[in-house]
Amino acid sequence: MTTNPFMKAARFHQYGGADVIRYEDAPVPEVTEDEVLIKVAATSFNPFDAKLRSGAFQAFLPIELPFTPSVNVSGTVVKVGDSVTTFREGDNVFAYLDVTRNGAAAEYVVSKAVHIAHAPKTFDLHESAAVPSVALTAWQALFDYGNLQSGQRVLITAAAGGVGTLAVQLAKWKGAYVIGTASGKSFSMLEQLGIDEIIDYKKQSVAEALKSKVDVIFNLSPAGKEELNSLLQLLNEGGTFISAVSPADENMAKELGVKAVRLNSHPDAEKLTQIAELLDAGLLKPIITERTGLSELAEVHQKFDDGKVSGRVLIIVDGVK
Ligand SMILES: NC(=O)c1ccc[n+]([C@@H]2O[C@H](COP(=O)([O-])OP(=O)(O)OC[C@H]3O[C@@H](n4cnc5c(N)ncnc54)[C@H](OP(=O)(O)O)[C@@H]3O)[C@@H](O)[C@H]2O)c1
């Protein structure tokens, strides 16, 4: 445990562009009785972090400024609150953190013990930070909302993104037939993940390309209202449409005899424990396209704002880049 009351953090004091992020000293956070203090090994960039920083969510997601972003963490527990029995100092952990609290773009972060899970045993601890929010979003969409079963057909739009690549792998692990939308540059990566069919969204509409209807649709694409309505019609009766982005028309869904839900992913330590087992078993892997250090976080946010981030950016915090 550090004796220095200060740590390095990449945080913002006001909403705005990427340049509001400052790499600076901040107080090491205190733990209360049901919390743990984690020495951060790595975090990963999530599009949500940039939207939060921009102020886009301030009307409904209040945060206290200055704020440290980054909802994903991997690291080592260095202090536990008095009532915590599930973790001990020295345990390696990973988590999808509470989005309204200071995040992992810092040397230390505090989390409720109920939100964290033991990290995978053999899978790399740093790379584990690329997994929690995207894998939990995919899990919650496909299994909790979509109730995806072996042998069913699932369509995943924006299959090549951070969430999509985990969704493809989880759906294949479940034994589903997986169709994804992506552009040509992502085809070989998706084929390596075992996807069954790919529709090039730059060349064809899904409605034109899909050979038969599907049981579950997981939408991660920036599709507008008309496109969402056309996707709804591609579901078998009784099927489920889950959108992590814009919601589909619920009345239209009812008329078609399908279910339409808007997903809001959330921390879930129990599922994350199962995800750790899949990582250790080699059945799941994050697609990491870039590695950088904590002091470069503002540049990562800027690249995202410029539309130049593709795949997961891993941010190494403890210096072992
Ligand atoms: N509601 C929630 O709880 C929740 C949770 C997590 C994420 N999300 C949202 O879900 C979306 C995806 O997240 P992510 O982290 O996976 O994003 P990401 O990693 O930034 O996704 C980028 C991918 O989107 C693909 N793409 C872009 N336009 C597309 C289109 N018109 N059709 C199909 N694919 C397209 C690109 O594919 P190619 O490279 O193949 O061109 C790119 O690889 C974001 O909007 C994010 O905010 C919501």
Side-chain angles (χ1 to χ4, degrees):
M1 174 52 204
T2 178
T3 48
N4 184 347
F6 289 96
M7 61 177 183
K8 286 292 180 202
R11 56 185 193 160
F12 52 90
H13 294 248
Q14 65 195 81
Y15 295 115
D19 59 355
V20 297
I21 296 178
R22 293 190 210 156
Y23 180 64
E24 62 185 7
D25 287 335
V28 173
E30 300 284 337
V31 291
T32 61
E33 64 167 22
D34 59 348
E35 295 177 337
V36 301
L37 180 67
I38 301 165
K39 183 174 189 314
V40 179
T43 181
S44 59
F45 174 75
N46 206 28
F48 173 88
D49 299 327
K51 291 179 195 161
L52 191 65
R53 182 219 74 225
S54 74
F57 298 150
Q58 59 182 303
F60 57 92
L61 207 61
I63 55 170
E64 208 174 292
L65 298 173
F67 187 80
T68 306
S70 291
V71 295
N72 287 293
V73 67
S74 66
T76 305
V77 172
V78 288
K79 195 171 178 183
V80 297
D82 292 342
S83 68
V84 176
T85 55
T86 40
F87 296 95
R88 288 187 302 196
E89 280 179 33
D91 284 351
N92 285 338
V93 295
F94 71 150
Y96 177 8
L97 299 165
D98 178 344
V99 299
T100 60
R101 298 185 59 181
N102 280 321
E107 288 179 291
Y108 294 89
V109 65
V110 156
S111 170
K112 294 267 182 220
V114 292
H115 287 164
I116 66 173
H118 288 280
K121 292 183 179 68
T122 53
F123 189 80
D124 183 81
L125 181 64
H126 291 96
E127 294 193 0
S128 300
V131 176
S133 68
V134 282
L136 282 173
T137 302
W139 187 293
Q140 288 160 5
L142 296 174
F143 305 146
D144 297 351
Y145 288 86
N147 193 24
L148 184 68
Q149 301 293 321
S150 175
Q152 286 191 321
R153 288 164 58 81
V154 58
L155 168 70
I156 300 165
T157 65
V163 180
T165 48
L166 269 296
V168 167
Q169 295 173 78
L170 286 171
K172 284 309 297 174
W173 166 69
K174 192 58 141 183
Y177 184 87
V178 185
I179 304 149
T181 66
S183 64
K185 66 177 162 33
S186 307
F187 279 28
S188 73
M189 178 265 292
L190 286 169
E191 280 158 5
Q192 281 171 35
L193 297 181
I195 198 162
D196 295 293
E197 273 179 49
I198 312 175
I199 297 167
D200 188 335
Y201 69 87
K202 290 199 169 158
K203 292 192 176 153
Q204 259 182 311
S205 81
V206 181
E208 271 167 19
L210 201 67
K211 295 178 195 96
S212 55
K213 289 188 169 184
V214 296
D215 304 292
V216 175
I217 296 177
F218 181 22
N219 177 51
L220 290 157
S221 77
K225 201 172 164 196
E226 239 171 71
E227 205 180 331
L228 291 177
N229 287 348
S230 92
L231 288 177
L232 274 182
Q233 300 179 42
L234 305 176
L235 276 171
N236 285 319
E237 209 177 326
T240 307
F241 181 94
I242 307 114
S243 185
V245 199
S246 301
D249 183 334
E250 282 181 37
N251 291 329
M252 184 174 172
K254 252 186 221 150
E255 281 166 26
L256 292 165
V258 300
K259 211 165 38 165
V261 289
R262 165 83 168 83
L263 171 77
N264 271 319
S265 63
H266 50 270
D268 184 333
E270 209 176 294
K271 307 268 163 56
L272 204 49
T273 301
Q274 287 177 262
I275 288 163
E277 284 166 15
L278 293 178
L279 287 163
D280 276 336
L283 294 167
L284 204 60
K285 62 171 182 186
I287 306 299
I288 296 168
T289 47
E290 200 178 326
R291 287 164 199 259
T292 188
L294 182 59
S295 58
E296 314 299 320
L297 189 70
E299 281 80 356
V300 176
H301 277 234
Q302 187 61 58
K303 265 177 94 170
F304 174 77
D305 287 357
D306 295 341
K308 290 182 182 150
V309 166
S310 73
R312 293 263 97 185
V313 181
L314 189 68
I315 297 148
I316 305 292
V317 176
D318 66 2
V320 194
K321 219 195 227 187

